Each structure stands twice: as C-alpha cells, then as structure tokens.
Amino acid sequence: MAHFVSTLPFHKSPRWTSSVETIAASSAPRRGPLRRTWGRMGVPDPSVISRLLRRAGSADAVLINGGERADLVYLALAALCPWITAPHLIVDAHWQPGRTALHRWAQRLPLWLGRRLLAEVQPHSREEIPLYASVFGLPEAVVKPLPWSTSLTGYDLQRQAEPGEAIVTGGHSYRDYRTLLDAMRGEPWTLRIGLPPSPVTEQVRAWAADLPNVEVVSDWTFRTYWQAVADSRVFAMAITPGLQRCTADQTICNAMALGAIVVATDAMSSRIYIEHGRTGFLVPEGDAAAWRRTLAEVYALPAEKARAIRSAAQHEATTRFSEDARIEETLRRTRVAAAEWTERGRAPGRHDAWQWAKAGFVLLLAAKASLLPILL
C-alpha cells in the first residue's frame, strides 16, 4: 500500500485517516525567545518542519498545506535533501500576490527551490492558472486547480421549515463590509454580522454605528453561527474588490449546503460555486446599489422560486463541492502523482553542483533570518 504523508487536518474523514499519515502541528503554547520568533513569523510549531523532513524520505507522496508557512519552509529545505524524492502536492493554495518586489521575491523563493519535487499546486479556480505562472513562477502544467468544499462534517445542523428574515454574514478575511453596509442604509432588512473580537470587528462596529438595522455579533460559536446562516433569508458574502486570489470558498459552500440563498460579490472564488439566478446571486464588486437591488430581488422572490434556488444550491454543495468528494479527488490525484513519479524514475533533476549551490544559498539566507516572509 502506498505511503502518503501530510500536514492537512482532515482528521474527521475516515477515508483520509486510513490512507494518510498526518504530521499534526501542536496547539500547546511554546516558550522561549526562539519559539516566539518563529510564532511572529507565522510558524507556531516549527517542529512540523523537522518531523516532515524525517518522514518524507520514506513517503510515496507528500501533501502539504498551501496556507501554512511552516509547510512552505519545509518545501524549500526538502528540495535540498537528496533522500527526499517523493512527489509533493500543495493543497489549498490561496496566495495573494505580494505588494512589494521583496515580498513577491520571498513568495517565489520556496517554490523555486522546491521545483524538483512539485507534482501539483492546487489553487481553487482555473482563473488562477496564468496568475500563478506569472506571479509565482510556476509552470502552468503544475498548476492544477481543485475547488474547495464544505466543512460541516460532524455538525448536525437543520434548517427551520421557513426562512427567517435576517441577512447573515461574517468572517474577517478579505471582506468588503463597507459596501455591504452602504447597501443596508435606509432599508427595512436586518443584517447580522458574526465577528469575534478583533480590531476589524471594532472598525465594522464604527462603520455601522448609525445603522439601526445592523447588528455585530461577537459571541456566536461555530455551531450558533452556522445555525444562524441556515435560518437566514439571505447569506451575504461581500468580497474585497480587485482581489487576485480566491477567498471565502468554504464559507460559501457551507452556506449553500445549509440551504441558504447566497448573494456574493462576483469574484474568482464565488464564480466557481454560484450560478447566477440558479444557485445564488452574483453582484458586481464594490457596487452598493447593485447589492441593494439584488437583496430586494431575493426578498421579493415567490416562495416556490426561493425554494428552487435553495434546493439547487444545496444539491451542488453536497455533491460536487462536498468534503468527501474533495478528499477523494485529492487522494486520487496523489495516487496518480506517485505512480507517474515512479514510472519516470522518481523526482526529476539531479543532485549536482547546482543543487548544492542552492543549498548554500538557502543556508546563507537562513543565517541572516531572511527566509521567512513566506506566502500569505
């Protein structure tokens, strides 16, 4: 049986846990100045790197998390280890291009160093293929998108018989709350925003201070938040204009799976999951007037039409975009990569003078503590 090693936290899936050895990060607090330095650099448990380096040499394939800096530091180091030859797949790659030349160079560095091991990089949207080639220096043949999925396994959430009246939204990352709040001004609808305490939350509270129909909720648990989504009239997902990455994929899929009518900014992520007018609604980015019109349209939908949209959305989310379907496709691709790697004699490339030159280059950077402003 093939031996796969991964850092991905899909522990709720028996299919995954029976097929993959997981290298899990520890959530226990770490003491000492070195640990604190790693933490500030976005690597809360650096032992993941050393444990992966030890286990990857005997693996048939390695799956790493595109959203974790520790995994990307590991990739750069693994490519310099002659005993590590298994194909590597970067799952859930969702990278926003850096704002400065230095940041963009740092984003490309681990991918350049790890190129000999890369079998696949999996963003979510096909729209990201040319972007990943031009910005991150990846060959287009390596960029193989895989849409994201629901994440409600293990939670028994049931939608009430009739929808409630509120619009529900939430989350911190790349949300365009300013536009959504402008759309709510002077309207009869109620908007409930689920946001745990943070500076972003306080900013949103300030923006909504003069809007009596907006409530910022900071004490929802995971379960109560998603129950509110299930019972909503509309789930709203306003996405930052001009974004060059996918965002809120899982949130959109979860809302659809719960039978909510989703209204989202028309962005590269939402276009994957929502077919306008059939499984939800898409609104031009940064357009408060379009949000207002679309929300009014949803509130005016005949009951039968609203049920049809909810049903179609739920079907898509629980079949094409289900967690089980994504995990099965991830495992299928991993098996294919392992087989192809074996057929062509393991990882391409040689451990020659150029490889050792790269190793020296990385060690020099590490000594100067400049390796770690990695992908965000």
Side-chain angles (χ1 to χ4, degrees):
M1 182 177 177
H3 176 212
F4 302 150
V5 173
S6 175
T7 57
L8 295 160
F10 300 151
H11 56 273
K12 290 182 180 179
S13 168
R15 181 76 177 92
W16 182 265
T17 56
S18 66
S19 304
V20 178
E21 176 191 354
T22 300
I23 308 296
S26 171
S27 59
R30 302 284 180 164
R31 296 180 180 179
L34 184 58
R35 294 285 187 171
R36 288 195 294 271
T37 299
W38 278 102
R40 285 194 295 269
M41 293 176 176
V43 183
D45 183 11
S47 75
V48 167
I49 299 170
S50 59
R51 285 184 282 142
L52 267 174
L53 289 170
R54 288 197 300 269
R55 300 300 298 147
S58 62
D60 294 297
V62 179
L63 300 102
I64 60 176
N65 190 338
E68 294 292 338
R69 293 185 179 184
D71 294 41
L72 296 163
V73 172
Y74 153 78
L75 176 67
L77 297 175
L80 306 171
C81 300
W83 64 89
I84 297 177
T85 58
H88 283 51
L89 294 82
I90 302 181
V91 179
D92 190 22
H94 49 274
W95 306 326
Q96 174 73 358
R99 295 183 179 180
T100 67
L102 178 61
H103 189 184
R104 291 191 294 273
W105 174 82
Q107 289 180 314
R108 294 172 72 115
L109 179 60
L111 303 172
W112 171 68
L113 292 167
R115 177 65 191 93
R116 76 171 182 88
L117 295 174
L118 281 181
E120 280 194 21
V121 175
Q122 298 176 358
H124 299 166
S125 170
R126 295 192 62 80
E127 294 180 54
E128 293 171 289
I129 295 175
L131 181 68
Y132 274 48
S134 61
V135 175
F136 304 118
L138 291 166
E140 289 196 3
V142 171
V143 184
K144 301 178 181 180
L146 180 61
W148 208 237
S149 70
T150 58
S151 64
L152 297 172
T153 301
Y155 292 91
D156 184 20
L157 298 166
Q158 300 294 326
R159 185 177 178 84
Q160 62 188 17
E162 295 297 327
E165 288 301 314
I167 302 165
V168 175
T169 188
H172 284 133
S173 299
Y174 301 107
R175 305 297 200 258
D176 183 17
Y177 286 121
R178 199 61 184 266
T179 297
L180 183 58
L181 291 170
D182 286 346
M184 296 298 297
R185 196 171 300 278
E187 296 297 337
W189 319 306
T190 297
L191 173 64
R192 306 185 75 197
I193 306 175
L195 283 171
S198 76
V200 172
T201 303
E202 294 312 307
Q203 179 65 79
V204 174
R205 286 188 194 278
W207 289 339
D210 64 338
L211 296 174
N213 57 338
V214 176
E215 177 187 9
V216 179
V217 184
S218 293
D219 61 354
W220 273 338
T221 64
F222 183 93
R223 178 181 290 277
T224 55
Y225 171 71
W226 286 110
Q227 189 61 59
V229 172
D231 295 337
S232 66
R233 175 60 66 98
V234 182
F235 179 75
M237 180 47 61
I239 297 171
T240 301
L243 199 61
Q244 292 183 280
R245 55 159 280 179
C246 286
T247 188
D249 302 65
Q250 183 171 280
T251 305
I252 290 170
C253 288
N254 282 348
M256 292 170 64
L258 292 170
I261 293 182
V262 179
V263 179
T265 301
D266 189 356
M268 66 172 63
S269 51
S270 55
R271 286 191 287 269
I272 302 171
Y273 311 101
I274 297 172
E275 182 181 337
H276 182 74
R278 190 181 77 85
T279 61
F281 296 87
L282 298 172
V283 180
E285 61 182 24
D287 192 334
W291 269 98
R292 196 174 297 116
R293 288 193 302 271
T294 305
L295 291 171
E297 180 183 350
V298 174
Y299 272 87
L301 285 172
E304 184 176 348
K305 177 63 173 176
R307 280 194 297 271
I309 293 173
R310 295 179 194 279
S311 178
Q314 194 166 38
H315 175 77
E316 291 293 289
T318 55
T319 54
R320 291 178 59 200
F321 305 121
S322 72
E323 190 170 16
D324 287 345
R326 174 175 52 79
I327 285 175
E328 191 56 51
E329 175 61 12
T330 301
L331 290 172
R332 186 195 68 79
R333 293 191 185 191
T334 306
R335 291 191 297 269
V336 169
E340 291 179 347
W341 225 253
T342 299
E343 288 176 6
R344 68 188 185 193
R346 309 299 286 181
R350 299 169 304 174
H351 300 288
D352 52 16
W354 172 234
Q355 190 73 4
W356 292 111
K358 285 198 294 184
F361 177 64
V362 171
L363 290 173
L364 177 63
L365 285 174
K368 292 180 176 295
S370 58
L371 177 64
L372 292 175
I374 310 299
L375 301 163
L376 294 176

PDB file of all heavy atoms in Angstrom, residues 71-84:
ATOM      1  N   ASP A  71       4.901  24.746   6.195  1.00  0.00           N
ATOM      2  CA  ASP A  71       4.924  23.781   5.100  1.00  0.00           C
ATOM      3  C   ASP A  71       5.775  24.284   3.941  1.00  0.00           C
ATOM      4  O   ASP A  71       6.460  23.509   3.268  1.00  0.00           O
ATOM      5  CB  ASP A  71       3.504  23.498   4.623  1.00  0.00           C
ATOM      6  CG  ASP A  71       2.663  22.785   5.669  1.00  0.00           C
ATOM      7  OD1 ASP A  71       2.766  23.152   6.856  1.00  0.00           O
ATOM      8  OD2 ASP A  71       1.901  21.876   5.309  1.00  0.00           O
ATOM      9  N   LEU A  72       5.744  25.590   3.698  1.00  0.00           N
ATOM     10  CA  LEU A  72       6.492  26.144   2.582  1.00  0.00           C
ATOM     11  C   LEU A  72       7.985  26.260   2.910  1.00  0.00           C
ATOM     12  O   LEU A  72       8.836  26.099   2.034  1.00  0.00           O
ATOM     13  CB  LEU A  72       5.894  27.487   2.186  1.00  0.00           C
ATOM     14  CG  LEU A  72       4.455  27.338   1.670  1.00  0.00           C
ATOM     15  CD1 LEU A  72       3.736  28.679   1.668  1.00  0.00           C
ATOM     16  CD2 LEU A  72       4.434  26.713   0.289  1.00  0.00           C
ATOM     17  N   VAL A  73       8.297  26.521   4.177  1.00  0.00           N
ATOM     18  CA  VAL A  73       9.703  26.461   4.597  1.00  0.00           C
ATOM     19  C   VAL A  73      10.214  25.032   4.438  1.00  0.00           C
ATOM     20  O   VAL A  73      11.325  24.802   3.941  1.00  0.00           O
ATOM     21  CB  VAL A  73       9.846  26.930   6.064  1.00  0.00           C
ATOM     22  CG1 VAL A  73      11.271  26.693   6.557  1.00  0.00           C
ATOM     23  CG2 VAL A  73       9.477  28.404   6.188  1.00  0.00           C
ATOM     24  N   TYR A  74       9.395  24.082   4.862  1.00  0.00           N
ATOM     25  CA  TYR A  74       9.773  22.667   4.689  1.00  0.00           C
ATOM     26  C   TYR A  74      10.057  22.357   3.223  1.00  0.00           C
ATOM     27  O   TYR A  74      11.052  21.683   2.899  1.00  0.00           O
ATOM     28  CB  TYR A  74       8.664  21.740   5.205  1.00  0.00           C
ATOM     29  CG  TYR A  74       8.675  20.411   4.508  1.00  0.00           C
ATOM     30  CD1 TYR A  74       9.600  19.422   4.849  1.00  0.00           C
ATOM     31  CD2 TYR A  74       7.807  20.162   3.432  1.00  0.00           C
ATOM     32  CE1 TYR A  74       9.655  18.222   4.157  1.00  0.00           C
ATOM     33  CE2 TYR A  74       7.852  18.965   2.742  1.00  0.00           C
ATOM     34  CZ  TYR A  74       8.784  18.001   3.100  1.00  0.00           C
ATOM     35  OH  TYR A  74       8.848  16.826   2.397  1.00  0.00           O
ATOM     36  N   LEU A  75       9.195  22.803   2.314  1.00  0.00           N
ATOM     37  CA  LEU A  75       9.379  22.501   0.890  1.00  0.00           C
ATOM     38  C   LEU A  75      10.742  22.986   0.400  1.00  0.00           C
ATOM     39  O   LEU A  75      11.447  22.270  -0.327  1.00  0.00           O
ATOM     40  CB  LEU A  75       8.258  23.150   0.074  1.00  0.00           C
ATOM     41  CG  LEU A  75       8.371  22.995  -1.447  1.00  0.00           C
ATOM     42  CD1 LEU A  75       8.199  21.537  -1.860  1.00  0.00           C
ATOM     43  CD2 LEU A  75       7.344  23.878  -2.152  1.00  0.00           C
ATOM     44  N   ALA A  76      11.105  24.207   0.787  1.00  0.00           N
ATOM     45  CA  ALA A  76      12.387  24.750   0.354  1.00  0.00           C
ATOM     46  C   ALA A  76      13.542  23.895   0.856  1.00  0.00           C
ATOM     47  O   ALA A  76      14.515  23.641   0.127  1.00  0.00           O
ATOM     48  CB  ALA A  76      12.533  26.185   0.855  1.00  0.00           C
ATOM     49  N   LEU A  77      13.450  23.432   2.091  1.00  0.00           N
ATOM     50  CA  LEU A  77      14.513  22.613   2.663  1.00  0.00           C
ATOM     51  C   LEU A  77      14.497  21.193   2.107  1.00  0.00           C
ATOM     52  O   LEU A  77      15.548  20.592   1.871  1.00  0.00           O
ATOM     53  CB  LEU A  77      14.380  22.592   4.184  1.00  0.00           C
ATOM     54  CG  LEU A  77      14.537  23.949   4.882  1.00  0.00           C
ATOM     55  CD1 LEU A  77      14.254  23.815   6.372  1.00  0.00           C
ATOM     56  CD2 LEU A  77      15.920  24.533   4.640  1.00  0.00           C
ATOM     57  N   ALA A  78      13.302  20.646   1.882  1.00  0.00           N
ATOM     58  CA  ALA A  78      13.192  19.270   1.389  1.00  0.00           C
ATOM     59  C   ALA A  78      13.846  19.105   0.028  1.00  0.00           C
ATOM     60  O   ALA A  78      14.443  18.060  -0.273  1.00  0.00           O
ATOM     61  CB  ALA A  78      11.727  18.857   1.320  1.00  0.00           C
ATOM     62  N   ALA A  79      13.743  20.137  -0.797  1.00  0.00           N
ATOM     63  CA  ALA A  79      14.323  20.045  -2.137  1.00  0.00           C
ATOM     64  C   ALA A  79      15.840  19.943  -2.099  1.00  0.00           C
ATOM     65  O   ALA A  79      16.456  19.532  -3.085  1.00  0.00           O
ATOM     66  CB  ALA A  79      13.900  21.261  -2.956  1.00  0.00           C
ATOM     67  N   LEU A  80      16.439  20.295  -0.963  1.00  0.00           N
ATOM     68  CA  LEU A  80      17.888  20.230  -0.823  1.00  0.00           C
ATOM     69  C   LEU A  80      18.352  18.947  -0.161  1.00  0.00           C
ATOM     70  O   LEU A  80      19.546  18.766   0.082  1.00  0.00           O
ATOM     71  CB  LEU A  80      18.366  21.435  -0.005  1.00  0.00           C
ATOM     72  CG  LEU A  80      17.903  22.794  -0.550  1.00  0.00           C
ATOM     73  CD1 LEU A  80      18.227  23.899   0.425  1.00  0.00           C
ATOM     74  CD2 LEU A  80      18.521  23.063  -1.910  1.00  0.00           C
ATOM     75  N   CYS A  81      17.408  18.060   0.121  1.00  0.00           N
ATOM     76  CA  CYS A  81      17.724  16.789   0.788  1.00  0.00           C
ATOM     77  C   CYS A  81      17.686  15.667  -0.239  1.00  0.00           C
ATOM     78  O   CYS A  81      16.609  15.306  -0.734  1.00  0.00           O
ATOM     79  CB  CYS A  81      16.716  16.511   1.900  1.00  0.00           C
ATOM     80  SG  CYS A  81      16.680  17.769   3.186  1.00  0.00           S
ATOM     81  N   PRO A  82      18.818  15.064  -0.611  1.00  0.00           N
ATOM     82  CA  PRO A  82      18.841  14.035  -1.658  1.00  0.00           C
ATOM     83  C   PRO A  82      17.970  12.832  -1.353  1.00  0.00           C
ATOM     84  O   PRO A  82      17.527  12.158  -2.281  1.00  0.00           O
ATOM     85  CB  PRO A  82      20.320  13.648  -1.741  1.00  0.00           C
ATOM     86  CG  PRO A  82      21.050  14.822  -1.188  1.00  0.00           C
ATOM     87  CD  PRO A  82      20.162  15.400  -0.128  1.00  0.00           C
ATOM     88  N   TRP A  83      17.718  12.560  -0.085  1.00  0.00           N
ATOM     89  CA  TRP A  83      16.916  11.382   0.265  1.00  0.00           C
ATOM     90  C   TRP A  83      15.417  11.607   0.107  1.00  0.00           C
ATOM     91  O   TRP A  83      14.644  10.671   0.181  1.00  0.00           O
ATOM     92  CB  TRP A  83      17.225  10.946   1.696  1.00  0.00           C
ATOM     93  CG  TRP A  83      16.849  11.959   2.742  1.00  0.00           C
ATOM     94  CD1 TRP A  83      15.651  12.092   3.379  1.00  0.00           C
ATOM     95  CD2 TRP A  83      17.680  12.999   3.248  1.00  0.00           C
ATOM     96  NE1 TRP A  83      15.674  13.144   4.257  1.00  0.00           N
ATOM     97  CE2 TRP A  83      16.923  13.722   4.207  1.00  0.00           C
ATOM     98  CE3 TRP A  83      19.005  13.382   3.009  1.00  0.00           C
ATOM     99  CZ2 TRP A  83      17.438  14.812   4.906  1.00  0.00           C
ATOM    100  CZ3 TRP A  83      19.511  14.468   3.706  1.00  0.00           C
ATOM    101  CH2 TRP A  83      18.733  15.162   4.643  1.00  0.00           C
ATOM    102  N   ILE A  84      15.004  12.838  -0.136  1.00  0.00           N
ATOM    103  CA  ILE A  84      13.575  13.128  -0.346  1.00  0.00           C
ATOM    104  C   ILE A  84      13.340  13.231  -1.848  1.00  0.00           C
ATOM    105  O   ILE A  84      13.840  14.145  -2.514  1.00  0.00           O
ATOM    106  CB  ILE A  84      13.147  14.416   0.365  1.00  0.00           C
ATOM    107  CG1 ILE A  84      13.312  14.262   1.870  1.00  0.00           C
ATOM    108  CG2 ILE A  84      11.691  14.754   0.029  1.00  0.00           C
ATOM    109  CD1 ILE A  84      12.979  15.502   2.683  1.00  0.00           C
TER     110      ILE A  84
END
